[in-house]
């Protein structure tokens, strides 16, 4: 996956961000069917997504390692939540 990512805005992997947003949008639609734990985890991730989007917009050419690390962290948390929600009947 990382080999296919294109780097823009000073190192921010925009394809990674696009994938994170897609997973987040998918989860938002499914979360109302999930249990309370999944809803709590989603509510904890929502502000991180918003802050990450603001950071990417603010950083522009200065975007760097900190944003890349947060992209990876938020992406992993969203994918774990998606997988956990998908396993529920």
């Amino acid at each position: 996956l990382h080999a296919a990512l294109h780097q823009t805005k000073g190192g921010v992997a925009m394809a990674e961000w696009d994938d994170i947003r897609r997973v987040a949008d998918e989860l938002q639609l499914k979360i109302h069917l999930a249990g309370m734990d999944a809803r709590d985890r989603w509510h904890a991730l929502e502000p991180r997504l918003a802050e990450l989007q603001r950071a990417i917009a603010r950083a522009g050419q200065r975007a760097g390692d900190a944003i890349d690390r947060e992209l990876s962290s938020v992406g992993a948390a969203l994918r774990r939540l998606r997988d956990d929600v998908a396993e529920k009947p």
Side-chain angles (χ1 to χ4, degrees):
L1 174 64
H2 288 289
L5 295 176
H6 62 282
Q7 301 288 320
T8 59
K9 292 196 176 192
V12 174
M14 295 308 294
E16 175 99 8
W17 172 247
D18 292 343
D19 185 52
I20 288 171
R21 284 304 321 166
R22 183 189 55 72
V23 171
D25 291 344
E26 174 187 323
L27 273 169
Q28 195 169 21
L29 293 174
K30 292 181 178 182
I31 206 72
H32 73 278
L33 299 174
M36 189 58 128
D37 176 59
R39 276 190 285 266
D40 289 345
R41 288 167 59 193
W42 170 251
H43 291 304
L45 284 169
E46 281 183 309
R48 289 179 68 191
L49 283 169
E51 178 54 33
L52 188 53
Q53 187 169 11
R54 285 189 296 272
I56 290 169
R58 277 192 317 264
Q61 295 299 318
R62 297 182 323 264
D65 292 340
I67 291 175
D68 286 341
R69 281 192 301 275
E70 187 65 3
L71 275 170
S72 294
S73 175
V74 169
L78 283 170
R79 289 179 188 94
R80 280 192 305 272
L81 179 55
R82 179 192 58 197
D83 294 346
D84 290 350
V85 168
E87 290 176 7
K88 304 285 184 206

